[in-house]
Amino acid sequence: HRRLTKQLVGMAEHYLSPSILCIMLTALVSLAGAKVPAIIVFGDSSVDSGNNNFIQTMARANFEPYGRDFPGGRPTGRFCNGRLSSDFTSEAYGLKPTVPAYLDPSYNISDFATGVCFASAGTGYDNSTAGVLGVIPLWKEVEYYKEYQHKLTAHLGRRKAANIIRESLYLVSIGTNDFLENYYTLPDRRSQFSISQYQDFLIGIAEMFLKDLYKLGARKMSFTGISPMGCLPLERVANLDDPFSCATNYNDLAIDFNGRLRRLVRKLNQELSGMKIYFANPYDIIWDIVTKPSRYGLDVSSSACCGTGLFEMGFLCGQDNPLTCSDANKFVFWDAFHPTERTNQIVSDYFFKHLKNLFH
């Protein structure tokens, strides 16, 4: 940057007016300033770019038709027809168009230096949620991150590694599985906690997790809440009170839980010196997409692209299902639980407008 600045200033002094020169120098200083060097991702299937391919679990999406709209048309383990919101955010920052999975042996530390994903489909804040499908618990994602830090330091040296750790944007997207896969499906947590107590329990885990990342050097974070989960096709089908309509009780819970997450973020932004956490609440934007799909160039929001669009996900979304739609870009949801690439892009674009102002 210094060499480029010197050369341009030399040329500009001869050809440009002082006011134009001032504008150019301001732009150059901005370019030379702090930049997000990497995207580091934690969470569940909303951001898992393929880690579950390399563990013993049924929670996988490494087969067709998953990935059919991904570059190269190949399934990667993403629960989507294409890219995830975290991939689009990486690209928007001028980094790689996809964030590689940490457990994928086809990548190495030089690939991970500009972006890495530790997320695991099916996991949650609660360790027992990860146990349902035998996936990576959140604490283990943090252990992988510590391992990554050691590898990064060995690869780049202490100073460069420390800069990446400090200046990277950390994306966290997790929480839905704790309610839909665990609390409301299995009896253990319901016998221990009321729903309000369970939310408090999860908030306590979230706080410890965020503080752990802070201790490990994280300073810039986009922390995602949960979407109107009662509008997932699977929950619409299961809504016996009002079949095929959004399940109001789950949506009300999402609003309540997001309110608690927002208060936690406000608290930690005050307590943790130098830490800036942006609370990315997806509820309103996804509610708008679901209830007014045509505004976003979409057609179908009540059912998904895969199969009947009512209950299929994972292995039930096999390539032999003849009902799978031909154009996923017309759908809000890819399978009964996960959005399409188009929805992921809309949501990523929505949040990036805020992120680019907060984290340069």
Side-chain angles (χ1 to χ4, degrees):
H1 285 299
R2 286 190 191 128
R3 191 180 301 117
L4 176 62
T5 303
K6 198 170 182 180
Q7 290 171 345
L8 285 173
V9 168
M11 292 168 59
E13 283 175 340
H14 291 288
Y15 300 111
L16 300 176
S17 69
S19 59
I20 298 293
L21 180 58
C22 181
I23 292 168
M24 279 185 62
L25 286 172
T26 302
L28 282 167
V29 168
S30 175
L31 279 170
K35 179 183 180 294
V36 169
I39 301 292
I40 298 176
V41 183
F42 297 87
D44 56 22
S45 60
S46 59
V47 286
D48 179 2
S49 55
N51 284 308
N52 278 19
N53 295 352
F54 307 98
I55 61 172
Q56 291 297 315
T57 179
M58 287 182 65
R60 292 189 185 184
N62 57 342
F63 48 86
E64 296 176 350
Y66 287 96
R68 73 180 192 190
D69 298 310
F70 191 83
R74 60 190 178 87
T76 61
R78 289 168 173 81
F79 279 77
C80 188
N81 59 303
R83 290 192 286 163
L84 306 174
S85 58
S86 45
D87 297 316
F88 287 111
T89 301
S90 175
E91 184 175 53
Y93 270 109
L95 301 168
K96 292 193 296 282
T98 57
V99 181
Y102 182 66
L103 297 184
D104 190 335
S106 63
Y107 297 100
N108 57 41
I109 192 60
S110 63
D111 300 305
F112 298 143
T114 55
V116 61
C117 172
F118 301 101
S120 177
T123 200
Y125 290 109
D126 187 349
N127 284 341
S128 72
T129 302
V132 175
L133 292 169
V135 299
I136 303 165
L138 189 56
W139 67 265
K140 183 67 173 178
E141 291 187 28
V142 176
E143 291 302 307
Y144 283 137
Y145 174 58
K146 291 177 185 175
E147 184 180 272
Y148 163 78
Q149 286 195 350
H150 291 305
K151 290 179 181 178
L152 193 67
T153 301
H155 176 62
L156 293 176
R158 192 168 300 278
R159 179 182 286 184
K160 284 185 179 177
N163 181 70
I164 288 174
I165 289 161
R166 183 181 63 252
E167 299 295 341
S168 288
L169 177 61
Y170 293 74
L171 297 182
V172 179
S173 180
I174 194 168
T176 303
N177 295 322
D178 290 304
F179 298 108
L180 298 185
E181 183 185 303
N182 188 351
Y183 188 87
Y184 284 111
T185 302
L186 301 173
D188 285 4
R189 290 307 192 201
R190 285 204 310 281
S191 69
Q192 296 172 287
F193 301 105
S194 69
I195 188 58
S196 182
Q197 290 169 337
Y198 189 59
Q199 288 184 76
D200 288 339
F201 172 68
L202 298 180
I203 293 293
I205 297 169
E207 180 170 1
M208 287 188 294
F209 165 70
L210 295 175
K211 286 181 174 177
D212 283 346
L213 289 187
Y214 176 76
K215 289 173 189 170
L216 291 166
R219 292 297 180 270
K220 303 174 179 180
M221 181 176 296
S222 176
F223 183 59
T224 308
I226 56 178
S227 68
M229 54 190 180
C231 292
L232 296 171
L234 188 68
E235 303 312 324
R236 288 178 180 242
V237 172
N239 183 9
L240 300 180
D241 295 331
D242 190 3
F244 301 105
S245 297
C246 295
T248 306
N249 59 325
Y250 287 153
N251 285 351
D252 289 345
L253 172 59
I255 292 169
D256 187 9
F257 190 61
N258 285 335
R260 297 179 194 223
L261 290 175
R262 187 184 296 279
R263 289 191 289 275
L264 172 63
V265 167
R266 192 180 301 129
K267 172 175 175 274
L268 294 181
N269 275 328
Q270 292 171 347
E271 288 181 5
L272 304 178
S273 177
M275 181 68 150
K276 188 183 286 186
I277 307 172
Y278 169 66
F279 180 55
N281 185 350
Y283 191 96
D284 290 343
I285 179 62
I286 295 179
W287 172 259
D288 205 47
I289 295 168
V290 166
T291 56
K292 306 180 191 76
S294 60
R295 177 182 291 182
Y296 300 89
L298 301 167
D299 293 339
V300 184
S301 63
S302 58
S303 61
C305 172
C306 174
T308 63
L310 302 177
F311 63 88
E312 296 95 340
M313 58 181 170
F315 287 111
L316 293 173
C317 271
Q319 62 177 327
D320 296 329
N321 196 319
L323 299 174
T324 297
C325 78
S326 58
D327 184 3
N329 285 330
K330 295 177 180 176
F331 285 73
V332 174
F333 295 100
W334 164 247
D335 66 17
F337 211 81
H338 303 97
T340 57
E341 178 182 70
R342 181 70 192 115
T343 303
N344 285 333
Q345 184 172 21
I346 294 166
V347 173
S348 175
D349 290 348
Y350 173 82
F351 285 126
F352 188 69
K353 288 183 291 188
H354 304 281
L355 293 174
K356 69 180 178 182
N357 293 325
L358 284 171
F359 309 116
H360 307 296

